[in-house]
Amino acid sequence: FKGVVLRLLAGNFFWIEVNGKQAKVVMGHDHGHGKLAMPDPKQWRVEGTPLEFTQERLARRGLRDPWARNEAWRYMGGFARPVAFKDVFFRGFKWGFAAFVVALGVEYALSPQKKGHH
């Protein structure tokens, strides 16, 4: 490459110069994902979930579950809907059946017709 100069430095970065302009290139570590934003744990509430019943039973014995809030997310939002039998076995069935019919049609159209029984 004409006009390109690489200056390798120690560590995980190097300088690249293209037509007199320099740029620092960092390799590895970040991979472009940035920092992961964690949700605030105080948004999860035990009230209104099956964990509330468990907390009440523990309270009658003088106990409490300090980690119950960390499990409350399982009973809220999109996770609250139970998985049904039809969701597991028939997910994608419509598109799969359509693909089967298309493959069967292509197979029938492109295969030579056999004459005779044997």
Side-chain angles (χ1 to χ4, degrees):
F1 298 100
K2 191 173 184 180
V4 176
V5 177
L6 292 176
R7 293 191 183 121
L8 187 60
L9 301 173
N12 62 341
F13 65 93
F14 62 90
W15 288 94
I16 184 169
E17 184 177 328
V18 180
N19 297 331
K21 296 184 180 182
Q22 290 185 352
K24 182 179 178 180
V25 179
V26 179
M27 299 174 58
H29 301 293
D30 184 28
H31 304 288
H33 300 295
K35 187 174 179 177
L36 181 64
M38 298 299 287
D40 183 21
K42 294 181 181 178
Q43 72 179 347
W44 309 119
R45 301 279 181 224
V46 175
E47 294 81 21
T49 68
L51 296 172
E52 183 177 19
F53 175 69
T54 305
Q55 288 286 67
E56 290 170 0
R57 288 184 61 200
L58 287 170
R60 278 187 243 142
R61 294 178 179 212
L63 302 171
R64 97 182 235 295
D65 183 4
W67 297 98
R69 188 175 61 200
N70 294 338
E71 295 297 321
W73 64 269
R74 298 177 189 269
Y75 303 101
M76 297 180 177
F79 301 104
R81 192 173 69 88
V83 178
F85 175 80
K86 68 176 185 74
D87 293 337
V88 174
F89 288 103
F90 295 118
R91 169 179 259 159
F93 181 78
K94 178 174 46 174
W95 290 106
F97 186 74
F100 167 73
V101 169
V102 168
L104 193 64
V106 168
E107 179 78 22
Y108 181 74
L110 296 180
S111 66
Q113 300 298 322
K114 296 181 181 178
K115 306 278 186 198
H117 297 290
H118 299 284

